[in-house]
């Protein structure tokens, strides 16, 4: 700005002075864009989690390399546009990406994720056993659950498994403990099967009102001894958050006495979870909406990063909505695009 000041005396003479003032525009803070992880995501503790963000500044350009990451639970996590982390504690985290320009202006963006333990343990919410010799007697409060034959006796267990989604079940075991008395073991531990009825009442179920053991055998064990902890693999029965009911039967006349949920060694369903997150793919050139001449070379560049496998850019495959497959790799030069609007993936 050129500022002019003037004054006129009584005789009409005018005097002037000029001053040049440069007014700089106000400094704009950077723009931070979060790419990963998605808000509300659930991830397993101990598994890699990829943090990704970009930061651009009107005055200073690309500041992505300066992005700083923090967790509301675990504090500072590291710096960079792509940051794999594996040590987030279990719980809900607010993850924040921040960038500061040369003039001190700061911009932040946050996302919330929940980190879940990779092994979940569920105590039985109901258990009992039924006895053919006592068809109307209920054993819902018994500290020992009998499983054997002649007379037929078998144990029932119910578990409410929640928090499995969206993960895969790597393994699930029904964990039981044999009673402490010398007579509680048996040459045959028995076989576990799924029970579709998940509303049998613990307090009143007896042999006469027992639910049908209508599922296939999932696992079986041979000899078991007093105080032994026994795992029956029931992985094939689990399919997400649900109520799971099991029956433990035995064809041996010497019954096993298992400890019930009324004891400290209560029955448990122990689930080991697995997770494989998809790669993060970025197209870095050309810009969206670019216009090029027919037969003109255009170079596509991209990045692909995976939390578990690292840099996968060499595996990028590039198809066009009009021309089909174009080629592979982190950088791809193409001169054969037909005229028209192409969606490049």
């Amino acid at each position: 700005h050129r500022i002019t000041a003037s004054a006129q005396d009584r005789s009409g003479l005018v005097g002037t002075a000029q001053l040049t003032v440069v007014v700089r525009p106000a400094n704009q803070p950077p723009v931070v864009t979060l790419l990963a992880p998605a808000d509300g995501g659930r991830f397993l503790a101990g598994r890699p989690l990829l943090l990704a963000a970009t930061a651009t500044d009107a005055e200073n350009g690309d500041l992505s390399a300066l992005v700083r990451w923090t967790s509301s639970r675990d504090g500072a996590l590291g710096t960079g546009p792509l940051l794999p982390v594996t040590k987030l504690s279990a719980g809900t985290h607010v993850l924040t990406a921040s960038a500061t320009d040369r003039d001190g202006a700061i911009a932040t963006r946050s996302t919330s994720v929940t980190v879940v333990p990779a092994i979940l343990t569920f105590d039985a919410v109901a258990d009992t056993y039924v006895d053919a010799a006592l068809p109307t007697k209920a054993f819902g409060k018994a500290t020992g659950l009998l499983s054997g034959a002649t007379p037929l006796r078998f144990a029932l267990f119910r578990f409410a498994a929640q928090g499995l989604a969206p993960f895969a079940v790597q393994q699930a075991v029904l964990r039981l403990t044999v009673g402490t008395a010398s007579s509680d073991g048996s040459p045959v531990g028995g076989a576990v099967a799924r029970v579709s009825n998940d509303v049998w009442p613990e307090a009143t179920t007896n042999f006469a009102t027992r639910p049908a053991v209508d599922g296939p055998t999932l696992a079986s064990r041979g000899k078991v001894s007093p105080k032994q902890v026994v795992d029956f693999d029931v992985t094939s029965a689990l399919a997400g958050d649900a109520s799971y009911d099991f029956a433990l039967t035995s064809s041996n006349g010497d019954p096993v006495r298992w400890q019930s949920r009324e004891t400290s060694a209560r029955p448990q369903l122990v689930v080991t979870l697995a997770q494989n997150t998809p790669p993060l793919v970025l197209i870095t050139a050309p810009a969206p909406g670019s216009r090029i001449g027919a037969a003109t070379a255009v170079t596509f560049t991209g990045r692909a990063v995976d939390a578990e496998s690292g840099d996968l850019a060499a595996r990028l495959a590039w198809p066009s909505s009009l021309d089909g497959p174009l080629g592979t790799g982190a950088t791809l030069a193409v001169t054969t695009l037909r005229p028209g609007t192409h969606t490049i993936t």
Side-chain angles (χ1 to χ4, degrees), residues 14-35:
V14 177
T16 61
Q18 289 187 333
L19 174 68
T20 300
V21 178
V22 177
V23 180
R24 296 178 59 190
N27 179 48
Q28 298 299 310
V31 175
V32 175
T33 302
L34 274 172
L35 303 175

Side-chain angles (χ1 to χ4, degrees), residues 100-115:
T100 305
D101 68 14
R102 294 174 187 172
D103 294 312
I106 301 175
T108 64
R109 288 292 183 273
S110 297
T111 184
S112 178
V113 300
T114 300
V115 178

Side-chain angles (χ1 to χ4, degrees), residues 277-305:
T277 56
L280 174 69
V281 176
L282 305 173
I283 296 177
T284 55
S290 296
R291 297 173 65 87
I292 62 171
T296 300
V298 57
T299 299
F300 299 103
T301 60
R303 300 191 66 179
V305 183

